[in-house]
Amino acid sequence: MSKIFAVANQKGGVGKTTTCVNLAASLVANKRRLLLIDLDPQGNATMGSGVDKNELKVSGYDVLVQGLPAERALVTTASGFDLIPGNGDLSAAEVELLSMEGRESRLRQALCGLVDRYDHVIIDCPPSLNMLTVNALCAAQGVLIPMQCEYYALEGLSALIDTITQIQQAANPDLKIEGILRTMYDPRSSLTSEVSMQLQEFFGERLYRTCIPRNVRLAEAPSFGKPALEHDRHSKGAIAYLALACEITRRQSDHSPNKGRPMAEVV
């Protein structure tokens, strides 16, 4: 049975797209069948996967707004995972969805009959809590939240958790926080240690043990249209995402219970 993750955080620059592309490649390296969905109008996950967003004939916009079957939008990347690409057309989708019936569940409906082909589906959300993000959260079973260990990130996390709780109650009772991922991690910083301790206190086993370090190779890889695993498989960033893929796979196979505080209490 496939597992659908929405990778979300309304704060920009925390490594959402980097996580989506590199986690996708790492799960494929672990023999998992994977689908990546780019719901960000910037189309960075599409470009980072080696697909030119400016040359698309079919994109996520056509699936969400025009009702095109999701299979028609699939692109198989050089890294071995399938992609539903995104580009600037998704900016129009944010507005057009507002007047559509069943607007919050368009993606979930489009994925019916498709997701069973995959072990994992990863959805790259835009850096805002708009209708595209709501569609991702309604379609997902778990939310993976990348965040930097800084206090502003903690403040933004509360708003995201509030949104997740509302969607749980109104549209998707199966939705939960799958995990909190510490990105751009610098263990030399005392602030990093303090924020990590707070995250551990609130989220318990929802906090991934794997941390993603600041790494030049991770930053370089998108300019080559490759995940870091293909750009430099021996880099610290590539190794960290391989470790994250193993941790996610192990959690799924073990069916480990989440032992952090309830979301309502965190809010």
Side-chain angles (χ1 to χ4, degrees):
M1 185 174 179
S2 59
K3 183 75 174 183
I4 306 175
F5 298 105
V7 180
N9 192 328
Q10 78 275 20
K11 189 176 186 301
V14 297
K16 288 189 300 296
T17 299
T18 297
T19 294
C20 288
V21 173
N22 287 284
L23 179 57
S26 297
L27 285 167
V28 168
N30 278 279
K31 309 300 182 184
R32 295 297 189 270
R33 298 166 299 169
L34 192 127
L35 171 64
L36 174 61
I37 303 173
D38 188 357
L39 281 191
D40 190 342
Q42 296 178 82
N44 290 335
T46 299
M47 297 292 284
S49 301
V51 177
D52 189 345
K53 66 181 180 181
N54 299 310
E55 299 295 329
L56 297 178
K57 294 182 179 179
V58 178
S59 70
Y61 169 85
D62 300 285
V63 175
L64 286 173
V65 177
Q66 303 297 334
L68 192 76
E71 293 91 339
R72 296 273 302 277
L74 289 179
V75 177
T76 299
T77 68
S79 301
F81 57 84
D82 286 347
L83 170 73
I84 295 180
N87 57 18
D89 291 345
L90 287 169
S91 296
E94 296 178 23
V95 178
E96 293 179 46
L97 283 170
L98 292 174
S99 60
M100 300 182 72
E101 185 176 352
R103 58 195 178 195
E104 71 282 344
S105 58
R106 298 280 295 184
L107 180 61
R108 180 167 59 191
Q109 294 170 1
L111 293 178
C112 287
L114 176 65
V115 295
D116 290 339
R117 301 181 189 178
Y118 303 97
D119 298 305
H120 300 275
V121 178
I122 298 175
I123 308 172
D124 185 21
C125 298
S128 59
L129 299 178
N130 58 21
M131 190 52 62
L132 294 173
T133 301
V134 169
N135 262 266
L137 296 178
C138 286
Q141 297 153 331
V143 187
L144 193 160
I145 307 174
M147 62 173 292
Q148 294 175 258
C149 290
E150 57 182 33
Y151 286 117
Y152 286 136
L154 285 175
E155 291 181 1
L157 186 59
S158 178
L160 177 58
I161 293 172
D162 191 28
T163 299
I164 293 170
T165 303
Q166 291 177 33
I167 289 177
Q168 261 188 333
Q169 296 169 350
N172 186 4
D174 295 328
L175 185 65
K176 67 177 183 179
I177 294 180
E178 188 67 29
I180 309 294
L181 176 65
R182 291 163 288 181
T183 59
M184 305 177 196
Y185 191 81
D186 184 358
R188 299 169 298 178
S189 168
S190 59
L191 176 59
T192 295
S193 299
E194 291 173 13
V195 174
S196 285
M197 289 176 62
Q198 291 187 39
L199 290 173
Q200 183 66 53
E201 177 186 353
F202 280 116
F203 293 102
E205 289 188 0
R206 293 191 187 107
L207 181 66
Y208 289 115
R209 294 183 179 181
T210 305
C211 299
I212 309 301
R214 290 188 180 274
N215 184 248
V216 173
R217 295 300 189 215
L218 275 178
E220 288 177 349
S223 64
F224 294 91
K226 297 178 179 179
L229 190 61
E230 295 178 22
H231 180 55
D232 183 355
R233 67 181 302 110
H234 300 294
S235 66
K236 291 182 179 179
I239 292 170
Y241 277 110
L242 280 171
L244 177 63
C246 290
E247 184 175 357
I248 287 174
T249 302
R250 185 172 61 252
R251 282 190 182 192
Q252 189 169 355
S253 62
D254 292 345
H255 300 286
S256 299
N258 287 321
K259 297 180 180 179
R261 294 184 184 178
M263 283 192 288
E265 183 179 340
V266 178
V267 175

